[in-house]
């Protein structure tokens, strides 16, 4: 793209209803937010447990800033690996029943690390069609043979596994699909991974904190550790930022020695590791957050179902309503906004063409009243197809 072509390209995005813009958040993340000067009940964040603005996390972070300062100052291998990072890694590994864990500044970087340091030219990676973009980018960057199987279609996956000549194989899935809210069949995927001697890499960005009493999808499904690589982000249910990769000690040692997105980047500010520790305590000690969230999910599904609004099969806080056309999804989002609800319209290329949707996300921070008034509005606005 040349500089002189930008304006035509941007105009084209606008004409296709694909132009994206950011909005100004003027309050902390919570159920009630001020955006561009107006107050909304938000159904857009991934702050599933309502921890992003929790006093315990704020206090832990403030105290840690006083203790450790602000900047990490160097990469982990040079001079940026603080004692508090180490403590958080050990706590995360113990919490998820894994031998070891490694902190990253973002889930995007963690996914690059795992995939590019374990598979390369001549190897093969098998990825679900609906995987998160960060996983797909990592697969491309790895230069391994990148094979995508139909969403949750294990027969298709097994055909690809059986046919590959590659020596190192990796199966890569989201545990909870970020735009659909449904889940990967982890137990069966692990059986295939064992049968074909492949790594099973699961991205639990939306399961950690929520499923398995907060310990995530791998714990909930009782997966064994052999060939398993677990990744979860800390900026969603945990309410902080960053991510971790969990697995064997050897796996972590290999990542530390070979993952470029770990080696060539400055360590996450140490105070955020203290926030992670505070968050883990709340995730463990306050199951009411998940219970309330579950009630909200049940109520939303019941009301929309009764009204004939089609839902996808999801028991998670991600509850999309497929609309189809970009324009129509934008229009509905605008109507909800008008009534004081912030609900994002998700369009291609984030989701497949023709499946533009309202992506509702629920949080333990929502009150029953907030949810009921959203549902009243949605039932009135969305044409029933039942
Ligand atoms: C959000 C997300 C990521 C990226 O994590 P960040 O910490 O935001 O970079 C990776 N995978 C999935 C499935 C996600 O939803």
């Amino acid at each position: 793209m040349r500089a002189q072509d930008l304006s035509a390209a941007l105009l084209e995005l606008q004409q296709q209803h694909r132009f994206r813009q950011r909005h100004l958040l003027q309050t902390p993340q919570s159920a009630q937010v001020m955006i561009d000067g107006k107050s909304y009940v938000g159904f857009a964040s991934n702050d599933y447990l309502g921890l992003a603005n929790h006093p315990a996390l704020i206090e832990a972070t403030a105290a840690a800033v006083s203790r450790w300062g602000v900047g990490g100052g160097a990469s982990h291998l040079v001079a940026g690996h603080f004692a508090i990072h180490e403590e958080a890694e050990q706590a995360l590994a113990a919490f998820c029943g894994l031998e070891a864990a490694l902190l990253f500044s973002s889930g995007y970087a963690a996914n690059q690390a795992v995939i590019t340091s374990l598979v390369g030219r001549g190897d093969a990676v098998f990825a679900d069609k609906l995987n998160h973009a960060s996983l797909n980018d990592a697969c491309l960057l790895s230069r391994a043979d990148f094979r995508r199987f139909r969403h949750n279609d294990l027969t298709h996956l097994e055909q690809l596994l059986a046919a590959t000549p590659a020596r190192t194989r990796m199966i890569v899935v989201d545990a909870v699909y970020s735009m659909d809210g449904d889940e990967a069949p982890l137990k069966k995927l692990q059986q295939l991974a064992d049968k074909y001697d492949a790594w099973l890499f699961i991205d639990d960005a939306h399961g950690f904190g929520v499923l398995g009493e907060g310990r995530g999808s791998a714990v909930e499904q009782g997966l064994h550790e052999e060939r398993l690589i677990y990744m979860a982000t800390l900026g969603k249910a945990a309410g902080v930022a960053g991510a971790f990769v969990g697995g064997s000690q050897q796996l972590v040692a290999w990542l530390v020695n070979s993952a470029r997105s770990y080696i060539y980047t400055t360590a996450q500010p140490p105070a955020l590791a203290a926030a992670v520790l505070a968050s883990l305590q709340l995730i463990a000690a306050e199951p009411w957050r998940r219970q309330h969230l579950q009630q909200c999910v049940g109520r939303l599904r019941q009301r929309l179902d009764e009204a004939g609004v089609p839902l996808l099969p999801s028991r998670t806080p991600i509850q999309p309503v497929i609309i189809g056309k970009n324009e129509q999804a934008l229009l509905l989002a605008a109507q909800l906004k008008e009534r004081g609800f912030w609900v994002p319209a998700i369009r291609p290329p984030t989701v497949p063409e023709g499946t533009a949707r309202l992506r509702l996300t629920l949080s333990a921070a929502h009150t029953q009243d907030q949810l009921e008034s959203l549902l009243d509005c949605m039932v009135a606005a969305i044409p029933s197809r039942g």
Side-chain angles (χ1 to χ4, degrees), residues 106-109 111 132 134 174 176 178 203 205-206 231 233 236 242-243:
S106 76
Y108 193 95
N111 284 343
H132 192 259
S134 60
D174 284 20
V176 174
S178 54
D203 174 339
H206 301 276
M231 192 287 289
T233 59
K236 289 170 179 155

Side-chain angles (χ1 to χ4, degrees), residues 96-147:
C96 297
L98 299 160
E99 207 176 282
L102 186 66
L103 274 176
F104 284 84
S105 311
S106 76
Y108 193 95
N111 284 343
Q112 281 214 352
V114 169
I115 296 174
T116 63
S117 66
L118 293 170
V119 296
R121 234 185 269 283
D123 300 328
V125 56
F126 304 90
D128 190 284
K129 270 268 187 202
L130 294 189
N131 274 357
H132 192 259
S134 60
L135 292 170
N136 292 336
D137 290 0
C139 291
L140 289 171
L141 186 64
S142 75
R143 298 185 179 87
D145 185 20
F146 177 24
R147 311 304 299 269

Side-chain angles (χ1 to χ4, degrees), residues 16 79 151 163 178 291 312 316 327 373:
Q16 295 169 338
H151 179 51
S178 54
Q291 285 153 13
L312 294 178
T316 68
E327 212 173 335
S373 40

Side-chain angles (χ1 to χ4, degrees), residues 1-205:
M1 178 89 54
R2 298 174 309 163
Q4 58 268 42
D5 296 334
L6 285 172
S7 70
L10 288 167
L11 189 67
E12 193 183 326
L13 284 180
Q14 264 162 350
Q15 282 163 350
Q16 295 169 338
H17 304 282
R18 285 170 83 141
F19 186 73
R20 295 153 184 251
Q21 51 196 326
R22 299 166 302 164
H23 299 277
L24 288 186
L25 204 61
Q26 292 154 317
T27 47
Q29 194 61 266
S30 68
Q32 189 87 38
V33 283
M34 171 89 81
I35 301 177
D36 293 338
K38 290 203 193 101
S39 179
Y40 298 94
V41 185
F43 289 90
S45 86
N46 303 309
D47 180 25
Y48 303 126
L49 299 180
L51 297 180
N53 185 36
H54 191 285
L57 270 69
I58 295 171
E59 276 163 37
T61 310
V65 167
S66 299
R67 168 78 173 80
W68 301 103
V70 177
S75 67
H76 282 274
L77 281 171
V78 173
H81 189 59
F82 289 66
I84 190 88
H85 287 134
E86 186 71 25
E87 201 184 322
E89 287 178 344
Q90 285 175 11
L92 286 164
F95 190 63
C96 297
L98 299 160
E99 207 176 282
L102 186 66
L103 274 176
F104 284 84
S105 311
S106 76
Y108 193 95
N111 284 343
Q112 281 214 352
V114 169
I115 296 174
T116 63
S117 66
L118 293 170
V119 296
R121 234 185 269 283
D123 300 328
V125 56
F126 304 90
D128 190 284
K129 270 268 187 202
L130 294 189
N131 274 357
H132 192 259
S134 60
L135 292 170
N136 292 336
D137 290 0
C139 291
L140 289 171
L141 186 64
S142 75
R143 298 185 179 87
D145 185 20
F146 177 24
R147 311 304 299 269
R148 301 174 79 190
F149 57 94
R150 287 186 293 274
H151 179 51
N152 278 349
D153 184 339
L154 298 182
T155 312
H156 189 201
L157 170 61
E158 185 158 13
Q159 281 166 4
L160 296 175
L161 282 165
T164 186
R167 189 172 126 86
T168 304
R169 305 116 198 237
M170 181 185 281
I171 301 168
V172 180
V173 294
D174 284 20
V176 174
Y177 287 89
S178 54
M179 295 299 137
D180 289 51
D182 64 335
E183 293 157 72
L186 295 180
K187 265 294 215 209
K188 291 185 179 143
L189 284 166
Q190 187 157 65
Q191 282 161 9
L192 284 179
D194 289 343
K195 181 169 169 190
Y196 290 94
D197 187 21
W199 288 104
L200 175 61
F201 176 32
I202 67 178
D203 174 339
D204 202 21

